[in-house]
Amino acid sequence: MNFIKQFLLGAIGGFIVINIYFLIPFDNMTFPTTKVLIILYAIVLLGWIFCFVIANQIKRLAKEDLVGDDEDQAEGIINKKLYDYSFSNNVSAIFAVLAMSIALLEMHLPLLIIGVIVTLLSYSMTTYMMKLYQLAYPDRNLPDVGDKDYSKKLLEISDDGERHIMLYGL
């Protein structure tokens, strides 16, 4: 029943968006590319700042010596912070690639170079996220991201629930 509701809402939403698309005359429309690219890069920068704040919070929580319920609470908070970091970093990376693509389409060389740099920095922040995982969970022997058999080693150290989730995602 829930699937049918989602399907109907998606169909109605798609119908409305397509009708609006056909009503707007795109022939005479101008597009302020430079302003849009600067706004996209600003969004990426804000996402990075958010990631750095979260990374500092994770480091601070991981260094605290806690026992019992406090340790469980801190682990739950660290998990949520890692999810927030991952989400923010992935959104920033998507906006970076989007901005780089728009700059490429418009052949705007300075903003294209900035886009390439921003995209590479977003990728490096993703690898930094793996270091945060290792810092947050020192008892787990997480393999190195650059390892040739990374996925096999990650599956070997995972428990049955984690394997199920990873393999279900394939």
Side-chain angles (χ1 to χ4, degrees), residues 40-100:
L40 286 174
Y41 291 140
I43 291 171
V44 171
L45 182 65
L46 289 174
W48 287 351
I49 292 170
F50 184 69
C51 284
F52 284 125
V53 169
I54 289 176
N56 287 332
Q57 292 173 353
I58 291 170
K59 287 178 189 177
R60 186 172 25 98
L61 280 171
K63 289 180 182 178
E64 289 183 9
D65 290 329
L66 302 171
V67 291
D69 290 338
D70 292 336
E71 184 179 13
D72 292 338
Q73 269 186 333
E75 188 172 314
I77 292 171
I78 287 174
N79 276 334
K80 290 177 184 175
K81 298 286 182 187
L82 285 169
Y83 296 144
D84 290 344
Y85 182 95
S86 176
F87 178 74
S88 177
N89 188 40
N90 288 336
V91 168
S92 295
I94 289 168
F95 280 135
V97 170
L98 175 66
M100 183 180 66

Side-chain angles (χ1 to χ4, degrees), residues 2-3 7 17 21-22 34 44-46 50 79 82 102-103 106 112 115 127 129 134 150-151 153:
N2 196 14
F3 175 73
F7 181 75
V17 168
Y21 174 76
F22 284 125
T34 305
V44 171
L45 182 65
L46 289 174
F50 184 69
N79 276 334
L82 285 169
I102 292 172
E106 293 295 321
L112 178 62
T127 58
M129 183 176 62
Q134 291 173 347
Y150 173 76
S151 37
K153 290 181 180 180

